[in-house]
Amino acid sequence: MTISMYEAAVPVFSARLKALSNVLDIAEQNALDRKIDPQVFLTSRLAPDMYALTRQVQIATDHAKGAPSRLAGREVPKYEDNEASFADLQARIAKTVDHLATFSAADMDGSDDRVLELKLGQREFSMTGMQYLLHLAMPNFYFHVTTAYDILRHNGVPLSKATFMGSR
């Protein structure tokens, strides 16, 4: 049995983003309960050379919107990266989930073998859709979602693996 590129991407990105939204809800409430300025969480990072929480969420959504768009041969939506609050991050996640809902399996049929030419930052890549999804987009997406979770856990937000997985 094979799995389609659509099934490997769109439902996975959607589910993880919904779980991330829940994580951010818990963090925002925790900041309120503990009387912590939400900016403390939004600007926190795990190490000096790592991005802060806000940027982690931005990059995670970039991969979630970019991968299906590229695989379907569509233009990747551009976001301004100007989020400054939990509400802004929630709106960005919702916009990304809405974008993901515009794809069907037929949109991505045949993208596993199609060669994609990518320019990410200063680097240029040429790889098949399957390589791109499994070896670039998904690992990067999970890295940034996990790092966002870890930043909040490190700051004392009461999160669990079940919350990360979206089952709470």
Side-chain angles (χ1 to χ4, degrees):
M1 181 172 133
T2 61
I3 184 169
S4 74
M5 293 291 283
Y6 171 87
E7 287 297 325
V10 174
V12 175
F13 287 132
S14 293
R16 298 288 58 84
L17 287 175
K18 289 173 186 173
L20 179 59
S21 175
N22 186 43
V23 164
L24 295 177
D25 278 340
I26 292 168
E28 184 175 27
Q29 185 60 51
N30 183 259
L32 234 93
D33 293 347
R34 292 168 55 198
K35 296 177 180 30
I36 297 171
D37 181 348
Q39 289 302 309
V40 170
F41 290 165
L42 294 168
T43 60
S44 288
R45 57 189 74 226
L46 291 178
D49 64 342
M50 293 180 76
Y51 290 124
L53 174 68
T54 297
R55 189 71 184 125
Q56 299 292 343
V57 174
Q58 291 168 339
I59 296 171
T61 56
D62 286 346
H63 284 287
K65 69 183 167 74
S69 297
R70 289 182 182 100
L71 293 169
R74 292 189 195 172
E75 185 80 20
V76 177
K78 296 198 183 336
Y79 296 170
E80 292 185 38
D81 294 339
N82 60 359
E83 292 78 18
S85 67
F86 280 106
D88 291 345
L89 292 176
Q90 293 287 13
R92 183 182 179 112
I93 290 170
K95 182 169 44 171
T96 305
V97 170
D98 289 347
H99 175 67
L100 292 170
T102 68
F103 292 93
S104 70
D107 293 328
M108 296 169 67
D109 281 351
S111 64
D112 51 333
D113 291 327
R114 187 173 342 117
V115 175
L116 300 176
E117 303 294 334
L118 306 165
K119 182 172 181 175
L120 301 173
Q122 300 300 324
R123 299 175 60 191
E124 293 186 21
F125 299 90
S126 179
M127 59 183 66
T128 67
M130 180 76 74
Q131 290 171 321
Y132 165 66
L133 180 64
L134 296 180
H135 298 282
L136 187 82
M138 291 302 252
N140 274 286
F141 173 76
Y142 274 107
F143 175 86
H144 292 287
V145 169
T146 302
T147 302
Y149 171 94
D150 290 344
I151 288 168
L152 293 168
R153 252 332 257 126
H154 180 74
N155 278 279
V157 177
L159 300 168
S160 66
K161 183 177 178 182
T163 309
F164 177 84
M165 296 301 293
S167 56
R168 281 200 174 192

